[in-house]
Amino acid sequence: MASADANAFTVVYDDGGEMPGTQELRSLLEKGPDDVKIDTLRRIIVSTLNGNAQPALLMPIIQFVLPSKNKALKKLLHFYWEVCPKYDDSGKLKQEMILVVNAIRNDLQHPNEYIRGATLRFLQKLRDQELLEPLVPTCRACLEHRHSFVRKNAVLAIYTIYRTFEHLIPDAPELVHTFLAAESDATCKRNAFIFLTNCAPNRAREWLTQTALDGIASVDELLQVAVIDFVRVDVARPDSASVRRKYVQAISELLGAGSTSVKYEAAMSLTALTHAPVAVKAAAQALVDVMAKESDNNVKMIVLDRIDTLRRKHEGVIDGLVMDILRAVTAPDIEVRRRAVGIALTMVSTRNAEEVVSFLSKQLVKTLDTDYEKSIEYRQLLIQSTHALAVRFGDIVSSSSTISALMSFLADSSASSSQASASAAASDAIAFVREVVQKFPNMRSTVLSKLLEALPTVRSGKVFRGALWIVGEYAATTDEIRAVFNRVRSVLGEVPILASEQRAAEENGGSVEDDAAKGISMKTKVLADGTYVTEGVYSSGTSNKPDLGGKPPLRALLLGGDFYTGAVLASTLSKLVLRHRQLAGVADRAHNALRAEAMLIMTSIVRLGQSTIVSLPIDEDAAERIVQCIQTLALSPDSPPSSIDTIFLQDTKKAYATMVAAEEKKAAEKRAQEAKRDAVQVDDLLSFRQFAKKATGDVVESIEEDLGRATGAGEVQKEDTISNLSRVVQLTGFSDPVYAEAIVKVNGFDILLDVLIVNQTPQTLQNLCIEFATLGDLKLVERLGTQTLGPHAFHSVKATIKVSSTETGVVFGNIIWENGPGTSETCVILNDIHVDIMDYIKPAKCSETQFRSMWTEFEWENRVNVVTNIMDLRTYLSHIMRCTNMACLTPDAALGGECDFLSANLYARSLFGEDALANLSIERVPHPETGEIQVTGYVRIRSKTQGIALSLGDKITLAQKDVPASTVH
């Protein structure tokens, strides 16, 4: 304890004003009133703390300040006695300190309890034996003072004196034990018990088992916390087995305490004392109560982490508390809600799955009525959670009521800044419906009918495309196909679309051409030769933007330029017509009518896209796809099914089934990996601490330390010599007078430079100093001191550099020394040390929705052209992932197969919480001149800050040049 305080220091801010001289300060202390003395003494203390002691003012302070009865001055004097120089140059105590000790003794006997208590508190900071020895009898006498403020500080003063200089009060444990037995004040009892806990644990256990354990629930909160801390440490001692049962009973009683801090500490201690399922469940229930009572979101997050730890250590024991944990969703913070729902999902079983889904459905409905700021984000969380439960428990949670609740969110679209989040929630809902339809065939007819009912309320193009794909794949009967066509007519409106829009415009007193002409403004210009010309300026921003108010939803999307949805509609209609042809008992007349209607809708979409009334013209890909669908339906209805029918009716559904199976396999592998993490192999050695021999004095201080020793977490890892050699950076040349090299070690947010300095000259180098400077978000913690190196001697110094962001940083500097007294300084410039950002970037995972949201939000983009001699696309992707520490988010099923084009999304996260996104788009094309196959394309990197985008771009550029020979084909 004394050694720890000896290494501490304090620096107090100085306002920079001119410090008066010693005589002026002496005059102020001698003649000034109390207010002036307080200000003067404060300035003297600040100056002393900052290294400018005033030894000549010690006697004036004793003469003119020490006799004062002002309490503020006495308090400042305690600070001054703590920091002032008390010893002379020979290391002996100054004679003036005898007067100080006498004044302190008088304060310890002062009739005012505040002065006594404040002086006792000051004694806790003294570490000078010669000052403390004459004050010990007075401190002992203060234990019998009538006021509790004096007694509680007297106990702590005796505690610090005993811990620092045990021989000054050798009978302190017995003295405090007697004091504790007779004391009635709660704070004094707590302080005395803390003394016994740290200095005489056997006496603390004796007092606890004989006096306090039976009525532990009725004692003061402070003493309850102290008892819990003692029990947590004492159970690890080998002689505490006889009282372990009493400890468990006492801690169990404290689970019902009114204080949340006591309840939390008792719950954590009980799980360390016993692993009985009843005790674990009681501790978890207490933690849930703490979480419900505390309003602080940070406390809720800490408690939820502890509950999650209990869940992982005692799997299945606390699963019955899943509904209690879900009570945390009433917290206003979205992170608390997300954490609570995440823990609850891991505790769901077949017994409570239906109850949890019912609760989540009710919460979904509440998000429509509440004004919660993050309601859309919370809604998306609930939809994703329900989706995850549906995948795990199938028919139990995928009931019609759940599907009906989710259908109401397909129309989720809000304006302004919440539009992206609302669309994401609706997209999650349609993804959930799609997976339910695929996995549970018995629910398809019900889901299709409800989906068709919700279709007129959908406003998002992505949700519309998902819904159209579902009805196109799973509408299998004649009635279902006709119901889909009827609903498409209602959401599309009158066809042909272009003709109906032109007719509506003429009925309103204008024409589509007139509306387009409104975007052309005419003005007269004067040319250089003096002639006049009329110039027409076309404004695309206001020319032909159609009025979408009151339009059917699908028609509004097409008029707004969303022809990707139009292409999906064409594919859906083609699937329905082809499937309708294969159904038994379908009349040719009915089939031809259905086919003609589908072709009319497709043709109308193409004509609309080529007109001037849409916001954006149709793109080539969408137009080509719609035309292919028209050509497919134009085939003779009597012709036998071809490969095109197989592509439309089987391959797309099979591709989605493969994707679902891949996701399930990935989830199963993740669960198996988590379960295997805590598994013990059959031939592993099992060690029991209770059966192990212990050497004398080898007492485990705490459960945490015991676990640390058992797992090896507390052991210092041996340095890997090969790893250190790979991190050596040469700072100077071999021919320089001073050779220097550094081992660069990255430890969390710090960079440790272990610098070796070698004097290669036959002379002694004096005042040798290494000066480092940084460029970028790097900061040198402290400057290195000067050294003296003898001839051919060497020395090692360490420098610590703080890193605050993931940006490329540079450390540079020089070495300066003197060859002898009066000689000029010699300087050697050091080589630069470049900080590799890859040490701070780790692979991470995120959902497709999160990736797209961040991609839209991040403004910094760095585009890197692909120039490589790697001919295999997958090999190039693996090479980039390995060089940038980024994880591939694109599923393996999407990357499989033989193709000359590859597109993948990459994601990584830095230690500082910075997100890094990348999109890789490459293809194999023949060279225009030589005809050889080459890989071309680009990598687009996006991040919130410029530094990480540029750094990753530079890393990819260098990685393309440094290609291992084994990867080149």
Side-chain angles (χ1 to χ4, degrees):
M1 195 171 173
S3 61
D5 290 341
N7 294 330
F9 62 91
T10 304
V11 178
V12 180
Y13 171 71
D14 195 351
D15 57 3
E18 183 179 354
M19 185 69 181
T22 303
Q23 291 299 327
E24 186 177 352
L25 291 174
R26 179 188 178 94
S27 176
L28 292 173
L29 293 174
E30 180 180 359
K31 300 178 180 179
D34 286 347
D35 294 341
V36 175
K37 290 181 179 180
I38 290 173
D39 183 67
T40 304
L41 188 56
R42 182 181 292 111
R43 301 184 69 174
I44 293 173
I45 293 173
V46 171
S47 175
T48 304
L49 285 172
N50 289 334
N52 184 19
Q54 304 282 349
L57 294 176
L58 178 60
M59 199 60 198
I61 291 176
I62 295 175
Q63 288 178 337
F64 306 118
V65 181
L66 191 58
S68 175
K69 297 181 179 180
N70 188 291
K71 294 181 180 178
L73 265 179
K74 285 186 175 295
K75 187 67 176 177
L76 281 176
L77 275 174
H78 292 162
F79 289 129
Y80 179 71
W81 301 140
E82 183 182 351
V83 301
C84 72
K86 307 175 185 65
Y87 297 90
D88 54 20
D89 296 337
S90 61
K92 295 182 179 180
L93 190 69
K94 293 182 178 181
Q95 296 296 324
E96 295 89 340
M97 298 308 296
I98 299 177
L99 302 175
V100 175
V101 171
N102 186 50
I104 294 174
R105 185 188 297 110
N106 293 336
D107 286 342
L108 290 176
Q109 299 173 347
H110 200 280
N112 187 302
E113 61 271 6
Y114 170 77
I115 294 178
R116 277 202 187 196
T119 308
L120 287 167
R121 185 176 296 176
F122 157 67
L123 291 184
Q124 301 171 27
K125 303 177 182 179
L126 281 183
R127 297 294 183 270
D128 302 284
Q129 179 180 348
E130 297 181 49
L131 295 180
L132 290 173
E133 187 172 3
L135 301 176
V136 170
T138 314
C139 290
R140 297 171 64 110
C142 288
L143 288 175
E144 302 176 359
H145 194 270
R146 59 179 179 81
H147 203 283
S148 61
F149 180 73
V150 177
R151 296 198 304 273
K152 72 177 185 180
N153 285 291
V155 173
L156 294 179
I158 292 176
Y159 170 54
T160 54
I161 294 173
Y162 181 79
R163 288 293 298 269
T164 310
F165 307 105
E166 182 178 344
H167 63 279
L168 294 181
I169 318 179
D171 60 337
E174 182 180 357
L175 177 67
V176 175
H177 191 189
T178 305
F179 169 81
L180 179 59
E183 183 57 51
S184 59
D185 182 75
T187 307
C188 295
K189 294 173 71 174
R190 190 278 305 264
N191 292 352
F193 185 74
I194 289 176
F195 174 94
L196 295 180
T197 298
N198 293 279
C199 301
N202 292 331
R203 290 182 178 271
R205 183 193 306 158
E206 178 185 350
W207 176 84
L208 191 60
T209 54
Q210 295 179 359
T211 308
L213 277 185
D214 294 336
I216 190 66
S218 59
V219 301
D220 185 74
E221 172 189 347
L222 297 176
L223 184 57
Q224 288 177 342
V225 174
V227 169
I228 293 172
D229 292 339
F230 171 74
V231 169
R232 187 185 293 119
V233 175
D234 192 54
V235 292
R237 296 188 173 95
D239 56 345
S240 64
S242 59
V243 295
R244 188 182 186 92
R245 184 175 180 180
K246 291 185 177 180
Y247 285 163
V248 172
Q249 292 177 350
I251 299 299
S252 300
E253 290 183 21
L254 291 179
L255 293 178
S259 171
T260 54
S261 60
V262 174
K263 187 175 293 189
Y264 173 81
E265 294 293 341
M268 299 310 301
S269 299
L270 184 61
T271 56
L273 289 173
T274 176
H275 297 303
V278 177
V280 172
K281 191 176 296 185
Q285 183 64 57
L287 291 176
V288 170
D289 294 340
V290 172
M291 178 185 63
K293 291 181 180 179
E294 285 291 334
S295 58
D296 191 340
N297 293 325
N298 294 323
V299 174
K300 290 180 182 292
M301 291 294 290
I302 292 173
V303 173
L304 285 171
D305 287 340
R306 298 298 181 267
I307 293 175
D308 189 38
T309 302
L310 284 180
R311 177 196 62 78
R312 285 186 276 106
K313 286 184 178 180
H314 309 279
E315 189 172 355
V317 175
I318 63 173
D319 287 354
L321 300 177
V322 60
M323 297 306 298
D324 295 326
I325 294 175
L326 285 175
R327 288 158 53 189
V329 300
T330 58
D333 187 68
I334 187 63
E335 294 301 327
V336 175
R337 297 186 179 190
R338 181 176 286 109
R339 183 67 172 145
V341 172
I343 294 175
L345 290 182
T346 60
M347 299 168 60
V348 177
S349 62
T350 54
R351 292 174 296 178
N352 52 23
E354 189 172 356
E355 187 179 4
V356 173
V357 172
S358 176
F359 176 83
L360 296 179
S361 300
K362 293 178 181 178
Q363 290 293 316
L364 270 173
V365 175
K366 288 182 180 180
T367 58
L368 296 175
D369 302 328
T370 57
D371 296 331
Y372 177 51
E373 181 183 359
K374 301 278 188 178
S375 60
I376 296 178
E377 190 173 351
Y378 179 47
R379 187 182 310 161
Q380 185 179 359
L381 170 64
L382 294 174
I383 293 173
Q384 292 173 351
S385 303
T386 309
H387 187 179
L389 292 177
V391 173
R392 290 172 55 191
F393 298 102
D395 294 333
I396 297 178
V397 299
S398 300
S399 59
S400 58
S401 60
T402 306
I403 300 297
S404 301
L406 286 175
M407 289 299 178
S408 60
F409 297 101
L410 295 182
D412 204 356
S413 71
S414 304
S416 68
S417 61
S418 301
Q419 188 172 2
S421 300
S423 178
S427 301
D428 289 337
I430 197 66
F432 170 52
V433 173
R434 181 175 57 190
E435 190 163 350
V436 167
V437 173
Q438 168 63 27
K439 296 186 66 175
F440 309 110
N442 59 325
M443 299 184 62
R444 288 177 182 175
S445 59
T446 304
V447 173
L448 285 177
S449 61
K450 293 183 179 298
L451 184 58
L452 292 177
E453 291 175 3
L455 211 55
T457 62
V458 177
R459 296 293 182 270
S460 170
K462 185 174 183 179
V463 178
F464 234 120
R465 293 191 291 271
L468 290 173
W469 187 89
I470 292 173
V471 297
E473 291 291 343
Y474 300 103
T477 64
T478 305
D479 294 337
E480 289 176 350
I481 293 174
R482 292 192 178 279
V484 173
F485 267 86
N486 293 334
R487 184 57 68 186
V488 169
R489 294 190 200 102
S490 64
V491 297
L492 187 60
E494 184 182 355
V495 289
I497 303 175
L498 181 59
S500 61
E501 289 294 323
Q502 290 174 340
R503 186 168 57 253
E506 292 173 357
E507 291 176 357
N508 292 332
S511 65
V512 177
E513 288 77 8
D514 294 338
D515 293 338
K518 292 178 182 178
I520 302 177
S521 60
M522 310 299 294
K523 63 180 181 178
T524 303
K525 285 187 64 176
V526 181
L527 298 180
D529 57 358
T531 58
Y532 293 87
V533 296
T534 302
E535 183 182 49
V537 179
Y538 179 78
S539 175
S540 61
T542 61
S543 63
N544 52 357
K545 222 171 189 180
D547 182 14
L548 304 181
K551 303 286 186 183
L554 187 53
R555 193 185 195 94
L557 290 173
L558 294 175
L559 291 173
D562 188 2
F563 288 99
Y564 180 29
T565 303
V568 175
L569 173 62
S571 177
T572 299
L573 296 177
S574 301
K575 294 175 185 178
L576 294 174
V577 172
L578 294 175
R579 189 176 294 112
H580 185 265
R581 184 180 67 170
Q582 295 180 359
L583 295 176
V586 176
D588 293 342
R589 183 182 181 87
H591 175 70
N592 289 334
L594 205 65
R595 185 174 60 141
E597 183 178 1
M599 295 176 67
L600 175 62
I601 293 174
M602 298 179 202
T603 308
S604 177
I605 294 174
V606 176
R607 291 288 307 277
L608 177 66
Q610 296 173 347
S611 68
T612 59
I613 68 170
V614 292
S615 299
L616 294 172
I618 188 171
D619 57 284
E620 295 182 2
D621 292 339
E624 183 178 357
R625 188 175 183 186
I626 295 174
V627 170
Q628 287 177 351
C629 292
I630 295 175
Q631 293 174 347
T632 300
L633 296 184
L635 296 175
S636 174
D638 299 327
S639 60
S642 61
S643 58
I644 296 180
D645 294 20
T646 304
I647 294 173
F648 272 98
L649 301 180
Q650 297 180 14
D651 289 353
T652 54
K653 187 185 297 185
K654 187 184 299 183
Y656 178 68
T658 304
M659 187 181 74
V660 172
E663 292 295 331
E664 290 180 352
K665 182 180 178 182
K666 188 183 299 183
E669 291 176 352
K670 184 178 180 181
R671 289 194 298 268
Q673 196 171 19
E674 291 178 354
K676 188 178 179 181
R677 189 177 303 165
D678 299 328
V680 179
Q681 298 298 324
V682 293
D683 56 348
D684 282 354
L685 179 66
L686 298 180
S687 300
F688 296 90
R689 175 174 54 85
Q690 289 81 358
F691 300 154
K693 293 182 179 180
K694 288 187 175 290
T696 303
D698 185 17
V699 180
V700 181
E701 294 295 336
S702 64
I703 295 295
E704 291 79 4
E705 184 180 353
D706 187 20
L707 293 175
R709 292 181 180 181
T711 58
E715 299 179 0
V716 178
Q717 299 293 331
K718 295 182 179 180
E719 293 187 353
D720 188 355
T721 305
I722 297 178
S723 176
N724 287 342
L725 290 176
S726 65
R727 293 180 174 273
V728 172
V729 177
Q730 184 176 343
L731 300 180
T732 62
F734 292 109
S735 60
D736 289 324
V738 176
Y739 173 77
E741 65 181 20
I743 299 177
V744 183
K745 300 179 181 178
V746 178
N747 183 18
F749 302 106
D750 299 338
I751 297 177
L752 179 63
L753 301 180
D754 190 352
V755 184
L756 174 65
I757 311 169
V758 180
N759 180 8
Q760 302 190 114
T761 66
Q763 302 174 354
T764 299
L765 305 183
Q766 299 179 359
N767 297 328
L768 186 143
C769 177
I770 299 181
E771 296 180 348
F772 284 117
T774 59
L775 183 65
D777 288 338
L778 305 177
K779 182 179 180 181
L780 190 66
V781 176
E782 57 184 350
R783 298 187 61 183
L784 302 179
T786 58
Q787 308 292 334
T788 299
L789 279 184
H792 303 290
F794 59 89
H795 183 69
S796 179
V797 295
K798 290 181 172 60
T800 303
I801 297 174
K802 291 287 184 182
V803 185
S804 58
S805 70
T806 313
E807 293 190 13
T808 301
V810 180
V811 181
F812 57 94
N814 51 48
I815 300 179
I816 301 176
W817 71 88
E818 297 176 356
N819 293 319
T823 61
S824 60
E825 292 183 343
T826 306
C827 177
V828 173
I829 306 299
L830 303 179
N831 294 329
D832 295 343
I833 302 175
H834 294 270
V835 178
D836 190 0
I837 68 168
M838 291 301 105
D839 293 326
Y840 301 96
I841 294 181
K842 304 297 179 185
K845 294 290 185 180
C846 69
S847 64
E848 179 186 356
T849 305
Q850 293 172 334
F851 183 89
R852 292 182 180 275
S853 177
M854 289 187 290
W855 187 270
T856 305
E857 177 186 354
F858 293 168
E859 57 183 2
W860 289 104
E861 178 174 323
N862 187 12
R863 178 168 169 169
V864 180
N865 292 325
V866 174
V867 180
T868 180
N869 52 2
I870 300 178
M871 294 294 103
D872 185 69
L873 302 183
R874 290 294 299 273
T875 304
Y876 181 81
L877 172 62
S878 302
H879 178 62
I880 294 299
M881 291 170 56
R882 183 171 57 254
C883 296
T884 59
N885 286 347
M886 302 187 80
C888 182
L889 302 181
T890 306
D892 292 336
L895 297 175
E898 293 295 331
C899 183
D900 288 338
F901 177 80
L902 185 145
S903 179
N905 292 331
L906 308 178
Y907 178 63
R909 190 173 180 85
S910 71
L911 295 178
F912 309 97
E914 301 168 318
D915 298 300
L917 313 177
N919 174 260
L920 173 69
S921 297
I922 53 178
E923 61 177 338
R924 288 160 48 96
V925 295
H927 194 276
E929 297 180 357
T930 62
E932 297 180 355
I933 300 297
Q934 62 179 359
V935 175
T936 61
Y938 51 83
V939 182
R940 296 170 62 191
I941 307 165
R942 285 198 180 185
S943 63
K944 185 172 290 187
T945 58
Q946 182 184 16
I948 190 171
L950 295 178
S951 301
L952 279 176
D954 295 340
K955 192 71 179 178
I956 292 175
T957 302
L958 293 175
Q960 292 185 129
K961 299 177 181 178
D962 186 16
V963 178
S966 59
T967 62
V968 180
H969 300 287

